[in-house]
């Protein structure tokens, strides 16, 4: 599998660190109810099909990426910078 | 039909014409007391113990493919009771005891072989951790022996003891650890359940769960609707999809774990051995193939095949530990879908729907758990109370903070 980093271009999967589903981007506010923390840390849709997850370009530009990916075929349909998404 | 040595000989003398199918192929009935979704190791053992321990025989196991076609038939078959945390420790200890009587219990040769498991360590810190684990195992009533470097050499003379990057300091030997024949475990439980009246229904995919006013009423399947008083979800890597049919979102992310097997060789590796510095473990099957594997591919996936970086990593780790295997030819590799939880421990619990139960989250350690998981899931479904040795495998432990993080790696699904 290869990922196309928006800054570095197409690179080998081994340059990237996988963190988990994009749920990690929705961090609850301080003091949020426990159920929200459970949702954020543990519960996952875990689809067999298209998903969005977080990867870190560890051996490249050191940017966090949101990758749109099919978990059954390993087809990659989009890679965006987390930094640009938030802006 | 009872199996025995005498039977094998007699059948051999008369052209093997007397063997009968190991189980029936029934059509689904309109209603059952209990429906188990998933005909893997855990689903089959649950059905078996429902019938055997609780006398509940109006049971169907619904399997979307064929029995034993999931992870139960594609794992590296290590059976051990070397867990550390209270909650895990007593459960796996109970499971190992069931393994030790399984062949007599099922009248089926599951080829359970207690050849000894050796986990190697390569630093002082790792030794301390294994001493602690070994003490926990002994406290639980299981066995553990700390081997120093020379002790390891006696058992495993073929390791590369000259490696200066990853020196072998010693190993923790678990003499009752070993392996078994995976298909036989599925078949043995299937036959045992069938003989007690359980309907094993293959090519029957569950596509919906019927719930009325918070109470489960049955399931929708590719072979029609089936009513049930109680339903158990026991589908391993597919748990998130099936639970979603009941409106649940699980603490699970599915990942691929690969394994490899070489051509058959003469006996060369007598134990199960794990490398403490890279992701690698190995044993030799009774057919002679070296069976080995490593860690997850590390990203969520449902492709039942692996990616190349982990293949390379596993081969490198194997060559680092035991260069002698470099001459063996790898015949096959495959991947299975693992239901990874954020603490690496399983779930056997009720759900928010009355009559609906779930058994999942076995990560990559669910083969050894097959007997005890079925035992405890059957207990829960029959009595409504968790079994003593599985009482910590709660679905809500993540929300309440009672995690069972055996490896202490934190709430990230792929780190266990
Ligand atoms: C490569 C590899 C190595 C492993 N090594 C070990 C090891 O050494 N030791 C160990 O203890 N564990 C090991 N494991 C883990 C172990 O195999 C699993 O944890 C365990 O088999 C999972 O439980 P199961 O047997 O019930 O799963 P499965 O056999 O996967 O059963 C689940 C069944 O549910 C069925 N199903 C799914 N969805 C539906 C539906 N909608 N309707 C009907 N049926 C459905 C599937 O078809 C499948 O047959 C390994 C796994 C892999 C992949
Ligand atoms: Zn980059």
């Amino acid at each position: 599998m290869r990922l196309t980093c928006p800054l570095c271009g197409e690179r080998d999967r081994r340059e990237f660190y996988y963190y988990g589903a994009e749920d990690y981007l929705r961090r609850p506010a301080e003091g949020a109810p426990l159920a929200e923390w459970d949702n954020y840390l543990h519960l996952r849709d875990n689809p067999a099909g298209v998903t969005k997850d977080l990867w870190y370009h560890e051996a490249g530009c050191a940017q966090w990426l949101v990758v749109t990916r099919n978990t059954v075929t390993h087809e990659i349909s989009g890679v965006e910078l987390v930094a640009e998404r938030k802006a | 039909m009872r199996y025995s040595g005498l039977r094998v000989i007699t059948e051999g003398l008369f052209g093997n014409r007397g063997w009968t199918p190991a189980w029936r192929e029934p059509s689904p009935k309109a209603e059952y007391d209990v429906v188990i979704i998933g005909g893997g190791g855990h689903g089959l053992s649950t059905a078996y113990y429902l019938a055997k321990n609780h006398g509940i025989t109006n049971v169907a196991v619904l399997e979307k493919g064929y029995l034993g076609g999931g992870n139960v038939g594609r794992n590296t078959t290590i059976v051990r009771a070397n867990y550390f945390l209270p909650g895990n420790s007593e459960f796996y200890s109970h499971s190992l005891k069931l393994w030790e009587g399984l062949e007599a219990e099922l009248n089926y040769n599951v080829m359970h072989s207690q050849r000894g498991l050796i986990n190697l360590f390569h630093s002082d810190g790792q030794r301390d951790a294994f001493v602690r684990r070994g003490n926990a195992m002994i406290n639980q009533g299981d066995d553990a022996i700390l081997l120093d470097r020379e002790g390891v050499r006696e058992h495993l003379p073929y390791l590369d003891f000259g490696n200066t990057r990853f020196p072998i300091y010693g190993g923790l030997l678990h003499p009752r650890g070993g392996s078994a024949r995976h298909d036989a475990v599925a078949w043995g439980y299937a036959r045992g359940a069938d003989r007690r009246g359980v309907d094993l229904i293959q090519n029957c995919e569950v596509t919906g769960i019927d719930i009325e006013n918070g109470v489960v009423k049955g399931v929708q399947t590719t072979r029609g609707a089936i009513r049930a008083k109680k339903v158990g979800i026991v589908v391993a890597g597919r748990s998130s999809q099936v639970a979603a049919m009941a409106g649940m979102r699980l603490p699970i992310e599915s990942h691929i774990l690969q394994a490899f097997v070489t051509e058959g060789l003469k006996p060369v590796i007598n134990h199960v051995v794990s490398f403490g510095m890279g992701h690698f473990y190995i044993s030799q099957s009774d057919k002679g193939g070296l069976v080995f594997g490593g860690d997850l591919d590390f990203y969520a996936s449902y492709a039942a095949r692996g990616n190349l970086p982990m293949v390379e990593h596993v081969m490198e780790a194997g060559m680092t530990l035991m260069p002698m295997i470099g001459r063996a030819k790898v015949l096959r590799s495959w991947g299975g879908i693992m239901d990874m939880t954020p603490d690496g421990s399983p779930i056997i619990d009720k759900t928010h729907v009355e009559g609906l139960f779930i058994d999942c989250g076995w990560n990559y350690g669910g083969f050894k758990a097959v007997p005890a998981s079925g035992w405890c899931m059957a207990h829960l479904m029959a009595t409504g109370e968790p079994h003593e040795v599985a009482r910590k495998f709660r679905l809500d432990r993540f929300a309440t903070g009672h995690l069972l993080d055996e490896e202490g790696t934190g709430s990230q699904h792929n780190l266990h």
Side-chain angles (χ1 to χ4, degrees):
Chain A
M1 194 165 85
R2 293 167 80 80
L3 295 179
T4 306
C5 171
L7 300 183
C8 312
E10 190 182 317
R11 296 299 182 93
D12 189 279
R13 175 257 174 279
R14 276 169 286 198
E15 292 193 3
F16 302 86
Y17 172 79
Y18 170 86
Y19 187 37
E22 66 160 350
D23 301 56
Y24 280 127
L25 289 176
R26 294 186 282 269
R27 190 185 168 88
E30 213 178 311
L34 281 180
E36 274 182 40
W37 286 100
D38 186 31
N39 229 3
Y40 162 74
L41 277 172
H42 310 125
L43 305 183
R44 294 292 177 258
D45 287 341
N46 192 25
V50 177
T51 191
K52 282 183 190 285
D53 41 31
L54 282 182
W55 297 69
Y56 177 62
H57 199 176
E58 192 173 26
C61 59
Q63 287 296 304
W64 281 96
L65 310 170
V66 179
V67 176
T68 309
R69 211 166 52 83
N70 188 309
T71 56
V72 179
T73 61
H74 291 174
E75 190 185 354
I76 314 273
S77 49
V79 183
E80 323 160 51
L81 293 171
V82 170
E84 280 190 356
R85 217 184 197 218
K86 278 189 173 161
Chain B
M1 175 191 288
R2 243 196 98 71
Y3 295 155
S4 67
L6 183 64
R7 179 120 224 161
V8 172
I9 294 166
T10 350
E11 285 299 331
L13 289 176
F14 296 98
N16 284 305
R17 281 188 296 266
W19 298 113
T20 52
W23 53 79
R24 298 163 296 131
E25 293 257 8
S27 297
K29 290 192 278 187
E31 178 163 9
Y32 289 94
D33 290 341
V34 177
V35 157
I36 302 295
I37 312 175
H42 294 245
L44 292 167
S45 64
T46 300
Y48 176 82
Y49 290 118
L50 275 172
K52 166 86 197 298
N53 294 356
H54 305 280
I56 301 175
T57 56
N58 186 20
V59 176
V61 176
L62 310 182
E63 166 54 48
K64 78 170 173 186
Y66 59 93
L67 295 179
N71 288 333
V72 70
R74 52 173 70 225
N75 67 78
T76 45
T77 76
I78 301 174
V79 174
R80 58 188 164 92
N82 60 350
Y83 282 70
F84 178 75
L85 291 179
N88 278 331
S89 186
E90 59 266 40
F91 174 84
Y92 289 101
S93 180
H94 180 60
S95 206
L96 186 55
K97 289 182 195 113
L98 292 175
W99 275 103
E100 287 169 337
L102 199 58
E103 280 151 356
E105 168 76 29
L106 297 177
N107 175 231
Y108 206 94
N109 185 4
V110 301
M111 297 165 81
H112 181 220
S113 154
Q114 295 182 294
R115 55 187 67 180
L117 163 71
I118 298 179
N119 296 122
L120 298 169
F121 51 79
H122 311 265
S123 68
D124 290 330
Q126 234 183 356
R127 180 197 288 119
D128 290 349
F130 274 117
V131 169
R132 191 162 169 244
R133 179 168 297 269
N135 285 334
M137 292 158 68
I138 291 167
N139 281 341
Q140 182 56 50
D142 295 317
D143 59 344
I145 298 170
L146 194 73
L147 302 175
D148 62 8
R149 187 179 158 88
E150 289 317 306
V152 170
R153 200 195 295 270
E154 263 173 46
H155 286 277
L156 314 173
Y158 49 78
L159 299 182
D160 181 3
F161 285 88
N163 188 318
T164 48
R165 176 68 184 83
F166 304 121
I168 294 166
Y169 275 42
L172 188 67
L173 168 65
H174 174 31
R176 285 164 65 221
S179 68
R181 166 128 197 245
H182 44 21
D183 302 309
V185 175
W187 298 335
Y189 273 115
R191 173 169 164 270
D194 174 88
R195 293 211 298 180
R196 285 176 170 77
V198 172
D199 282 358
L200 306 174
I201 300 170
Q202 309 186 58
N203 295 312
C204 181
E205 178 171 356
V206 171
T207 53
I209 298 178
D210 297 332
I211 299 164
E212 279 170 32
N213 302 322
V215 182
V216 77
K217 295 289 170 191
V219 292
Q220 297 293 325
T221 80
T222 47
R223 297 179 66 176
I226 300 175
R227 290 193 304 279
K229 298 191 184 76
K230 291 178 185 172
V231 174
I233 301 175
V234 196
V235 293
R238 293 281 170 176
S239 296
S240 298
Q241 277 81 51
V242 178
M245 296 173 193
M248 295 163 71
R249 193 167 182 249
L250 294 181
I252 285 181
E253 193 171 86
S254 291
H255 283 263
I256 294 300
L257 183 71
Q258 302 192 56
F260 310 86
V261 64
T262 69
E263 60 192 325
L265 303 170
K266 288 190 175 169
V268 53
I269 294 179
N270 301 329
H271 309 70
V272 181
V273 184
S274 82
F275 185 24
M277 289 314 286
H279 300 295
F280 179 79
Y281 63 94
I282 189 165
S283 65
Q284 187 168 17
S285 79
D286 290 351
K287 247 190 324 189
L290 304 181
V291 181
F292 56 98
D295 213 327
L296 300 173
D297 278 15
F298 280 122
Y299 49 93
S301 172
Y302 285 88
R305 60 183 159 76
N307 215 328
L308 290 172
M310 191 47 74
V311 178
E312 188 177 31
H313 175 89
V314 169
M315 301 297 160
E316 283 173 354
M319 287 300 290
T320 304
L321 183 64
M322 42 179 85
M324 70 166 183
I325 64 172
R327 301 290 290 274
K329 292 189 180 65
V330 175
L331 288 189
R332 289 189 301 278
S333 74
W334 66 94
I337 308 168
M338 321 281 29
D339 35 340
M340 302 298 297
T341 56
D343 63 356
S345 294
I347 294 160
I348 302 180
D349 208 348
K350 299 175 187 176
T351 67
H352 68 292
V353 177
E354 201 184 315
L356 182 66
F357 301 81
I358 189 157
D359 175 310
C360 66
W362 292 99
N363 297 267
Y364 33 75
F367 179 67
K368 65 175 121 30
V370 162
S373 167
W375 185 283
C376 296
M377 180 68 167
H379 181 95
L380 176 70
M381 292 188 77
T383 66
E385 295 297 324
H387 188 277
E388 181 57 22
V389 301
R391 70 193 187 289
K392 296 206 169 177
F393 295 160
R394 295 179 61 133
L395 182 56
D396 69 359
R397 70 172 182 272
F398 304 95
T400 60
H402 294 87
L403 276 69
L404 288 168
D405 189 346
E406 186 79 21
E407 293 181 13
T409 41
S411 288
Q412 193 180 320
H413 302 74
N414 60 347
L415 293 188
H416 298 280

